[in-house]
Amino acid sequence: MDSLAGSTQGFYEEADNRRKRMRLIIALGLIALVLAIAWYAFSASKGGGAAAGDGAAGTAASAPTVTVMVPGMQSVQVAISVNGTIAARREMPVGVAGEGGQVVSVLVEPGQWVGAGQTLAVIDRSVQAQQAASLAASIRVAQADADLAEAELKRAEALVSRGFISKADMDRKRATRDAAQARVRVAQAQYREAVARNGRLNIVAPAAGLVLTRQVEPGQIVGAGSGVLFRMAKGGEMEMLAQMAEADLQRVSVGTRATVTPVGTDLQIAGQVWQESPVINPDTRQGTVRIALPYSAALRPGGFADARLVAGTGQAPLLPESAVQSGPEGNFVLIVDKSNQVQRRAVKVGTVTDGGVSIASGLTGNERVVVLAGAFLNPGDKVKPVVQKSPQ
């Protein structure tokens, strides 16, 4: 029994020792965990401060290098941009010149070139032709009467010396002869008048040019009150009616060169001012300038076009095309201020030449303008400017 009791007591003591060792191990583990957490928090705090300092230094060191230029002022052509409508320079309305009648056929279509006197439409002349034939016959009748009167007068002159015919009879025969000859001339004049009227029945082109519109069809009855049947552009010459501000109008004169671009095309048609408006519209403060243009299939009367007029020379900044950008609000450039920060500046573009783009307004010429990589910069960005020479 004592042996059994001793064994039982030893068993409980060993179990108690195991529990104590387990508690010690757990306590040591918790202490180690707390120390590890504290060390990690301290390291993270220190590392974050260092990283923030490194980031600030990196931002200052990562400012991009951009190429800028100070354009100054250079002598450039002064261009004025205007817009307006296209029209025939000399428009010719063609109507009925004669007494009119029924249209038999129309010989031309809009867009066709015609010569001076060319028939545009044929009018029925069956009745007029018979009248002309009747007048031609009356000439022959009158001529026969005149020939008979002339023969009788000659026979009477042969007998008057013999005393068979009195002087009074001779005067009557001469009068009869003269009246017969006069009737011949009257008949001839009436016939020529009929031929001339018949010649004016057809509708013909008053001069060579381009047919613009046609307002007549076969079978139509036309007359003096029919109005305009065809419209033509004399010689095919066109013009642009450009509206200009009063101040710009003072800078333009007859002969000023212009480049016209019809809407919807990339064509550049050369022309020149041939007439200036002598008056200014008091409501719009604008005047009209007429720009003469050669014929082009892209020029359609009534259409819209833009024009650029070269009005002499002036002083303006000149930039390469890469420096000028465009947006919804218009053209602009990027400049670098005294703090080396990017600023946006709205500009108005003038003449575009092989040497660059002139700036009509928005710059004084003393700014540092970003030449390249402007599309990758935003207002407020810090940059390192590198100045290059302005174009000559």
Side-chain angles (χ1 to χ4, degrees), residues 254-266:
V254 174
T256 297
R257 293 181 291 112
T259 302
V260 176
T261 301
V263 168
T265 71
D266 295 328

Side-chain angles (χ1 to χ4, degrees), residues 104-126:
V104 176
S105 61
V106 180
L107 306 180
V108 296
E109 296 290 342
Q112 184 174 338
W113 290 88
V114 296
Q118 181 175 336
T119 300
L120 306 180
V122 178
I123 306 295
D124 177 65
R125 61 182 63 202
S126 56

Side-chain angles (χ1 to χ4, degrees), residues 1 29 41 69 89 205 228 276 315-316:
M1 290 296 292
M69 64 174 292
R89 182 175 177 182
V228 177
E276 296 178 82
Q315 296 293 318

